[in-house]
Amino acid sequence: MPLSLINSSHHIVLIAHTNPDADSLGSACAFYSYLIRFQKKVTLFCVSKEINPNLGFLPWFEKLTDRFPDDADCMISFDCGSYGRLGIEKEIPLINIDHHVSNDFYGTLNIINTDAISTTEVVYDFFVTNDIKINGKMALSLYAGLLDDSRCFSDPECSLKTFDLAHALIKSGADHSRCVEWLYQRRSLASIRVRSVLLKEMKLLADGRLAVFEVPLSLLEETGAIISECKKVLDEALGIRSVHASIIFFEHPLGGLKVSLRSNGTLDASRIMGLFGGGGHVKRAGTRLKQKNYSELVENIMSVITKEFV
Ligand SMILES: [Mn+2]
């Protein structure tokens, strides 16, 4: 049972996935608030060195570290659809809390609900089931993930439960306008600059149904933008009437590439990224390929995707 593993552990590491979003980090922050009630050590961990500054309002954000502690005896991953998304490999018990359809139950214990709109919903259910009181900090953290993964409650998968959950979290102290301001209204100059370059260079293929973006290393260097700031153009492109899917390729400093795919639902993004060792959701998925040749990898992936539009 997850609770008995948590209770018997002395140092628990809460893991947000590489390049964390509000859902992953929000889930981990909510759990941090819960675990510091006990006499145990807790570490908030993410392997990425650059964290999206828009997440800076999350409680405990300043506690986040990229150093994995030596004396940890338990770890919990949040919103990591595959083991690779943790960014580390450790031989200690792992509780895997997630909602991705592609999750392959890599944990020692797995709390997976693929019907949940966000991992924060899974965490909320865990708290309620175990009679764990949700304070204001936890509510704000959970709400941030709910808001972001539901695309501000615009996703067709939003259900009555989504709105009930929003209601419950706001009642417990989550501040809706603060979440909106931090997640969507605050932008860096770099993100505006990179957006204009990417939209200008956007390619439309397959009779305008597929939007393609490429981010060479030089673009990140010149603009100072980070990966999460570039990815915003994917949703913008999906808003074009003809577009069914949008894809962005990032040249990786360590070789190979990182790719993110968005779909309006007519194409299964998780299945396609699964062909390249990745995964995610039907509408949002991605992968990281480490083989050296960037252009060859782009070509491989593009040849598979364009066939989907024949
Ligand atoms: Mn999520």
Side-chain angles (χ1 to χ4, degrees), residues 11 20 36 56 62 94 159 188 203 210 234 237 259 278 291 307:
H11 190 165
I36 53 167
E62 71 287 353
L94 167 65
S159 63
S188 68
K203 284 187 211 127
L210 175 65
L234 288 173
V259 52
Q291 294 94 320
K307 281 196 192 101

Side-chain angles (χ1 to χ4, degrees), residues 70-269:
D70 296 332
D71 63 343
D73 56 359
C74 175
M75 49 188 184
I76 310 178
S77 63
F78 298 93
D79 199 48
C80 299
S82 64
Y83 190 72
R85 292 283 272 152
L86 275 65
I88 43 110
E89 287 181 26
K90 299 284 171 187
E91 296 291 317
I92 54 175
L94 167 65
I95 303 173
N96 166 18
I97 304 183
D98 190 28
H99 71 130
H100 287 87
V101 282
S102 56
N103 196 296
D104 58 4
F105 291 72
Y106 55 79
T108 320
L109 293 169
N110 302 280
I111 308 175
I112 314 290
N113 177 5
T114 56
D115 291 329
I117 203 150
S118 64
T119 295
T120 60
E121 181 181 330
V122 185
V123 172
Y124 177 85
D125 289 342
F126 175 84
F127 288 157
V128 170
T129 310
N130 292 292
D131 274 328
I132 294 161
K133 192 175 157 24
I134 295 173
N135 65 24
K137 283 193 164 106
M138 291 152 96
L140 177 70
S141 308
L142 296 175
Y143 191 83
L146 183 71
L147 183 71
D148 203 37
D149 268 31
S150 70
R151 300 192 204 185
C152 296
F153 306 112
S154 72
D155 193 290
E157 274 159 42
C158 283
S159 63
L160 265 183
K161 190 179 174 203
T162 314
F163 292 102
D164 284 344
L165 180 51
H167 180 192
L169 292 172
I170 289 174
K171 238 177 157 174
S172 299
D175 185 337
H176 171 76
S177 58
R178 188 165 144 81
C179 280
V180 171
E181 186 203 335
W182 272 83
L183 289 176
Y184 309 110
Q185 294 167 347
R186 286 186 183 224
R187 288 182 191 183
S188 68
L189 180 59
S191 82
I192 303 279
R193 292 236 159 96
V194 84
R195 171 178 175 265
S196 72
V197 175
L198 288 171
L199 290 173
K200 189 161 162 264
E201 307 274 314
M202 174 178 73
K203 284 187 211 127
L204 282 176
L205 305 178
D207 300 322
R209 287 174 292 171
L210 175 65
V212 185
F213 301 95
E214 285 197 56
V215 184
L217 280 178
S218 57
L219 182 59
L220 296 182
E221 280 158 20
E222 283 159 19
T223 58
I226 58 175
I227 285 178
S228 56
E229 292 173 326
C230 300
K231 279 161 68 170
K232 289 189 197 294
V233 294
L234 288 173
D235 288 327
E236 283 196 74
L238 262 190
I240 300 170
R241 280 196 195 93
S242 66
V243 172
H244 294 194
S246 55
I247 189 165
I248 189 164
F249 296 97
F250 295 91
E251 187 181 1
H252 202 281
L254 303 174
L257 57 71
K258 190 180 143 49
V259 52
S260 291
L261 177 63
R262 297 276 190 279
S263 150
N264 63 2
T266 50
L267 185 97
D268 184 347

